[in-house]
Amino acid sequence: MFDYRSYIEKYLKDGDKILDICAGADEYSLYFVRKGYEVSALELADANITAFKKKLTPEDKIDLVQGNALDLSRYADKSFDIVLLFGPLYHLKNDADKQKCISEAKCVCKDGGKIFFAFISNDFVFLTEFGYDVNYFNNGDYDKETFKLNAFPFVFHTVGTARKLLADGGINILHEVAFDGASELLAARFNEMSDKDYTQYLRYHFYICEKPEQV
């Protein structure tokens, strides 16, 4: 429902270079290249590469390559102002691989540059799944004592484990943002809103999304 563009744009300057790691079928790369930034996009999955290429026009001067987030040796050290890491950390199961991924992103980010990370919240998924299945709390695929979700096909993190992962990787956190919040549960209601009401809702969303109790 929401995305990170407004936060990324807070830190972008004219002439900045962006690396979009695990770019998918394109959520951000084309948006920023069409705003005049130099963008490199790395994606592992064949299907996503194919879908991404279908969106490209001759005017889109983007460096799209197939590759792995655990090996960014194709890029020079300290060569990007902004690094987007919106997929790998909720697909990698092994903590050593997660730390390798963070380390690789740090290597290619300039001194003073910014890295954006994304996680999927372990704790909020329960309410999302409950919206689909009234029996989820008894039948759901999670540890009934610890409330830890089973990691397939995604790897889920609590706020605490996400913070620890980044701290262990030497990351200084500037923002913690709950971007989806309750939006997935309220999609039908959003579709009923007028443009005016929805605009004001977005203002409310950005008002609460960095509050610690919402993350």
Side-chain angles (χ1 to χ4, degrees):
M1 175 97 27
F2 309 106
D3 64 40
Y4 295 83
R5 294 176 196 172
S6 61
Y7 275 83
I8 297 167
E9 288 173 330
K10 288 181 180 181
Y11 293 100
L12 276 171
K13 308 177 298 299
D14 288 345
D16 275 359
K17 296 175 63 177
I18 301 170
L19 175 60
D20 188 359
I21 304 170
C22 198
D26 171 55
E27 293 294 333
Y28 299 97
S29 295
L30 287 180
Y31 173 82
F32 286 112
V33 83
R34 290 170 182 174
K35 293 197 70 142
Y37 296 101
E38 185 177 342
V39 179
S40 296
L42 182 86
E43 171 55 36
L44 181 62
D46 292 337
N48 285 339
I49 290 285
T50 299
F52 197 133
K53 286 181 177 178
K54 288 180 179 178
K55 299 177 182 179
L56 294 174
T57 69
E59 290 74 33
D60 295 322
K61 306 304 181 185
I62 190 166
D63 175 33
L64 172 63
V65 296
Q66 189 164 24
N68 194 312
L70 299 179
D71 179 8
L72 302 181
S73 58
R74 70 176 63 242
Y75 305 112
D77 288 356
K78 303 183 186 303
S79 54
F80 294 96
D81 303 278
I82 299 289
V83 177
L84 309 181
L85 203 68
F86 289 153
L89 295 182
Y90 55 77
H91 286 299
L92 295 169
K93 292 185 179 182
N94 184 290
D95 280 351
D97 285 342
K98 295 175 190 177
Q99 289 299 339
K100 174 65 172 173
C101 185
I102 293 171
S103 176
E104 290 286 297
K106 288 174 62 179
C107 282
V108 299
C109 188
K110 292 180 180 179
D111 294 336
K114 302 296 183 290
I115 306 175
F116 291 78
F117 302 90
F119 298 91
I120 300 178
S121 168
N122 182 90
D123 298 343
F124 205 86
V125 170
F126 290 88
L127 295 182
T128 301
E129 293 298 330
F130 177 61
Y132 299 126
D133 178 7
V134 70
N135 299 310
Y136 179 77
F137 281 94
N138 276 323
N139 301 334
D141 188 18
Y142 68 94
D143 185 308
K144 303 304 188 293
E145 296 301 318
T146 65
F147 292 93
K148 174 64 177 171
L149 292 160
N150 289 324
F152 182 83
F154 300 106
V155 176
F156 305 97
H157 296 79
T158 63
V159 173
T161 59
R163 286 173 178 161
K164 184 178 187 306
L165 185 70
L166 296 181
D168 289 347
I171 298 297
N172 177 38
I173 299 173
L174 299 178
H175 301 275
E176 293 179 342
V177 183
F179 254 93
D180 288 335
S183 62
E184 190 170 6
L185 305 179
L186 300 172
R189 298 292 288 173
F190 291 143
N191 290 335
E192 297 172 355
M193 297 174 82
S194 67
D195 289 345
K196 182 178 180 181
D197 284 339
Y198 185 65
T199 297
Q200 184 64 7
Y201 174 80
L202 286 179
R203 294 186 67 240
Y204 162 76
H205 174 79
F206 286 111
Y207 159 70
I208 67 169
C209 70
E210 286 195 66
K211 291 190 172 185
E213 63 270 27
Q214 299 292 333
V215 173

